[in-house]
Amino acid sequence: MDKSAKIEFNGSSYTFPVITGSENEEAIDIKNLRSEMGLITYDPGYKNTGHCISSITYLDGENGILRYRGYSVEELCEKKSFLEVTYLLIFGDLPSQNQLEKFQNDIREETLVDEDLKQIFKSFPKSAHPMGVLSSLTSALIAFNPQNETKISMTDKEGVTADDKMYLSTVRLLAKFPIMSSWTLRKIKGLPLNYSNNNLSYTENIAYMMFAKPNQEYVQNDVIVNALNTLLILHADHEQNCSTSTVRIVGSSYAGLYASISAGISALWGRLHGGANQAVIEMLELIKNDNSDIDKYLNKAKDKSDPFRLMGFGHRVYKNFDPRAKIIKKAADQVLNDLGIDDPILDIAKSIEEKALTDEYFIEKKLYPNVDFYSGIIYRALGIPSDMFTVMFALGRIPGWIAQWKEMRDSNNPIGRPRQIYNGPTHRKISS
Ligand code: CMC
C-alpha cells in the first residue's frame, strides 16, 4: 500500500504522498504543499530537506555505510582504481576492460593544455590560495570549450548530440583538472610546469605530474600511488552536501558543467566542508606548539563561548562513525610506516581521537573523526603543502560532481529556487 503523511493546519487536514527509496528511506513529498496549504517549510541548513532523487551514492549515517552505485567504498578501495570508480559514478556501472581503455585513451587525447590557459595560470600571484586558482581556472576552461559548454547547457533534450557533448566535456575536465592541480602544487614548490605522461595510468600520472623533479629520472613510488588511489576514491562522491548541491543548483539554471563545478570548488573551500583538511593540520600544529596540551583544546572545543571547534570532528550525517575516516586512519599508519616518516602530529591526532571518544560532550553530540581528520597527515607525508589539501579533495570529487550534474540535467528537475520567510520592515514610505 502506498504510504502517505497527513498534515493538519488551521483546522484542515491535507495528505501528502511518501516516497520510499531503494534502501527504504522515506520522505514526505511536499511538492504541492504551498499550492494546497499556503505553507512553505523552514529548514535552515537543509537538515531535513531531500533535494533530489538520486541513484549515485547511498549513505547511511547511523550505520557508517557509504556505497557508490551499490558498491561499498571499502571494497572499491581494495579492488578498483580511481579511474574505474570515476567511470562507475558517471556511467552507472564498473567498466569492462575495453570500456576502461577507451575512457583512459579519450582522457589522454585531451591532456594538452592551451598556452593561453597556461598564461592565465601564470598570472596568478604566488600568494593566491590554490582553491581560488582552481575555481578560476575551471571557470576559464569554458572559454576554451565554449561550443560544448553552451551546447550541453541548452540542448540536453537532443539525445545523442547532448550525450556526445557531455562525454567530451567530461573527458576534457578529467584530463585537465589534474594538470591544473599539479601545476598549482609545482608553482608553490618552485618546480617547472610539466605535462602528462600518457604511458601512465590515471592515478600514476597524477603522482608523476605532482612529484617529478627536473633533471632527475622519475621513479614511481607505489606507496604514494596506492595512497592517492585510496584517498581519491574515498573523496569521489558523498551524495548531497554543500559543494555537490551547489553544483546541482547552479546547473539547474542551465549554467554549463564547468561553471557549475567552479562554483562547487568554491563551496568546498570553506573550513566546515573540504577546507577542514587544511584546518586540521593547522590545528594539530597549533596544539603541538602549545606543549601538546590536548586537554586545553578539547576544553576549548566544548566551551560554547569559545569559537574554537575540533576540526575534522563531527558530521551532518554520520552519527556513529565515518567509514572514510576508518580507512584513512589505517592508510595513514601504513603510509608513514612505508615511507619511514615519524610525524609527531599523527600521535597527537590519535590521542585527540582517543580522548574525545570517551568524553561525555563528544559522545552525547555523536562527534567522531571525519574524512578530513587523518587525510592531511597522509598528504603531508607525501610532501603536499597544507594549502593544497583541499585541492586534493576537489581532485577526488570531480567525478562525483560530474555524475551529479549529469543526473540533475537528465532528470529535468526545475530550477533550484528556495523560498524564505521575510521578517524585515513591512511597507513604509520615504518620508521626504
Ligand atoms: N567541535 C566541537 N563541537 C562541535 C563540533 C566540533 N568539531 N562539531 C559539532 N559540534 C557541536 C556543535 O557546537 C553543536 O552543539 P550544540 O548542539 O550544543 O549547539 C552540535 O555539535 C551539532 O553541531 P552542528 O554544527 O549543529 O552540526 P552540523 O551538522 O550543522 O555541522 C559540521 C556539521 C561538520 C559542520 C560540524 O560538525 C563541524 O563544524 N565540524 C568541524 C569542521 C569539519 O571537520 N568539517 C568537515 C566535515 S567532513 C568533510 C565534508 O564532507 O565536508
Side-chain angles (χ1 to χ4, degrees):
M1 200 183 75
D2 288 345
K3 288 187 179 174
S4 60
K6 206 178 271 176
I7 303 180
E8 283 179 20
F9 181 65
N10 272 352
S12 302
S13 130
Y14 303 82
T15 304
F16 294 91
V18 167
I19 301 172
T20 307
S22 55
E23 293 282 353
N24 296 321
E25 301 155 293
E26 293 177 326
I28 307 173
D29 176 353
I30 52 140
K31 265 201 302 286
N32 299 324
L33 183 69
R34 192 167 180 280
S35 59
E36 290 200 13
M37 297 182 68
L39 278 177
I40 61 166
T41 55
Y42 175 60
D43 185 20
Y46 309 123
K47 292 193 178 194
N48 310 283
T49 297
H51 169 62
C52 56
I53 296 178
S54 177
S55 60
I56 301 171
T57 289
Y58 174 63
L59 197 170
D60 174 347
E62 274 71 34
N63 295 306
I65 292 172
L66 176 60
R67 295 186 202 129
Y68 301 153
R69 304 279 189 188
Y71 298 104
S72 75
V73 286
E74 289 82 359
E75 199 183 2
L76 289 169
C77 283
E78 226 177 275
K79 299 181 182 163
K80 293 292 166 191
S81 68
F82 175 56
L83 194 64
E84 289 171 288
V85 171
T86 296
Y87 188 100
L88 170 72
L89 285 167
I90 298 174
F91 302 107
D93 273 312
L94 284 165
S96 65
Q97 197 51 37
N98 283 348
Q99 286 169 325
L100 184 63
E101 270 165 30
K102 178 178 184 319
F103 192 44
Q104 171 92 65
N105 287 336
D106 291 342
I107 292 171
R108 285 182 178 141
E109 293 276 307
E110 296 296 333
T111 47
L112 283 179
V113 176
D114 197 295
E115 280 304 306
D116 286 342
L117 187 74
K118 199 171 184 181
Q119 284 313 319
I120 298 175
F121 169 75
K122 283 186 168 170
S123 63
F124 279 100
K126 230 182 154 188
S127 58
H129 192 283
M131 285 298 278
V133 175
L134 262 300
S135 166
S136 308
L137 287 180
T138 304
S139 198
L141 271 182
I142 302 163
F144 300 90
N145 196 34
Q147 257 285 343
N148 235 31
E149 271 292 282
T150 42
K151 284 281 181 192
I152 53 170
S153 303
M154 300 309 295
T155 62
D156 57 340
K157 285 186 190 139
E158 285 178 18
V160 175
T161 316
D163 282 352
D164 287 350
K165 302 277 180 198
M166 179 73 209
Y167 185 75
L168 194 53
S169 283
T170 296
V171 291
R172 278 197 177 147
L173 189 59
L174 290 170
K176 294 191 173 36
F177 198 81
I179 301 173
M180 300 186 310
S181 304
S182 308
W183 282 0
T184 313
L185 174 67
R186 295 182 78 82
K187 189 164 177 170
I188 295 173
K189 291 186 144 190
L191 293 168
L193 306 187
N194 58 0
Y195 288 92
S196 281
N197 179 339
N198 285 341
N199 295 319
L200 299 174
S201 75
Y202 193 75
T203 309
E204 287 171 348
N205 185 48
I206 293 175
Y208 163 78
M209 287 214 61
M210 288 191 162
F211 304 120
K213 302 244 169 64
N215 309 320
Q216 275 182 33
E217 195 195 344
Y218 176 73
V219 182
Q220 179 171 299
N221 184 331
D222 287 341
V223 174
I224 295 181
V225 173
N226 293 339
L228 279 180
N229 201 57
T230 302
L231 286 162
L232 293 172
I233 290 176
L234 289 176
H235 286 91
D237 195 50
H238 211 231
E239 52 122 284
Q240 301 317 298
N241 53 72
C242 184
S243 57
T244 302
S245 303
T246 295
V247 169
R248 276 186 175 254
I249 211 161
V250 172
S252 77
S253 75
Y254 270 35
L257 178 70
Y258 298 171
S260 309
I261 289 186
S262 165
I265 296 169
S266 297
L268 186 72
W269 190 355
R271 295 165 83 82
L272 297 188
H273 192 11
N277 54 14
Q278 178 178 347
V280 169
I281 289 293
E282 288 165 3
M283 175 190 78
L284 294 174
E285 277 290 341
L286 178 77
I287 297 174
K288 186 181 100 192
N289 295 332
D290 196 1
N291 298 318
S292 300
D293 191 349
I294 292 168
D295 291 336
K296 173 176 164 187
Y297 288 90
L298 286 179
N299 287 333
K300 275 165 76 64
K302 293 190 279 184
D303 180 356
K304 286 283 151 218
S305 63
D306 189 325
F308 178 83
R309 274 193 172 198
L310 204 53
M311 299 314 288
F313 257 73
H315 198 273
R316 171 63 60 80
V317 187
Y318 293 121
K319 296 300 170 197
N320 188 346
F321 66 94
D322 180 337
R324 303 168 300 174
K326 262 196 173 178
I327 301 173
I328 292 180
K329 181 182 180 186
K330 214 167 131 202
D333 265 328
Q334 180 88 42
V335 169
L336 266 64
N337 186 42
D338 290 353
L339 296 179
I341 295 173
D342 180 20
D343 190 340
I345 68 166
L346 177 60
D347 295 330
I348 296 178
K350 283 184 181 169
S351 304
I352 291 176
E353 178 181 354
E354 212 175 287
K355 287 192 176 207
L357 294 187
T358 53
D359 186 297
E360 207 37 55
Y361 174 92
F362 293 92
I363 294 171
E364 195 229 317
K365 295 191 186 305
K366 299 188 190 305
L367 301 173
Y368 297 85
N370 59 47
V371 68
D372 293 317
F373 195 61
Y374 287 103
S375 60
I377 295 174
I378 304 184
Y379 295 136
R380 200 160 112 121
L382 305 189
I384 298 172
S386 60
D387 269 14
M388 277 293 296
F389 291 179
T390 315
V391 171
M392 300 307 293
F393 191 147
L395 194 52
R397 188 53 59 86
I398 292 287
W401 286 332
I402 294 173
Q404 298 271 351
W405 191 96
K406 185 171 177 291
E407 185 182 71
M408 176 275 306
R409 194 47 70 75
D410 288 345
S411 68
N412 261 332
N413 268 356
I415 184 170
R417 202 292 185 193
R419 287 188 176 259
Q420 63 164 19
I421 297 292
Y422 173 72
N423 75 346
T426 53
H427 185 219
R428 52 183 170 163
K429 297 219 170 193
I430 298 168
S431 52
S432 61

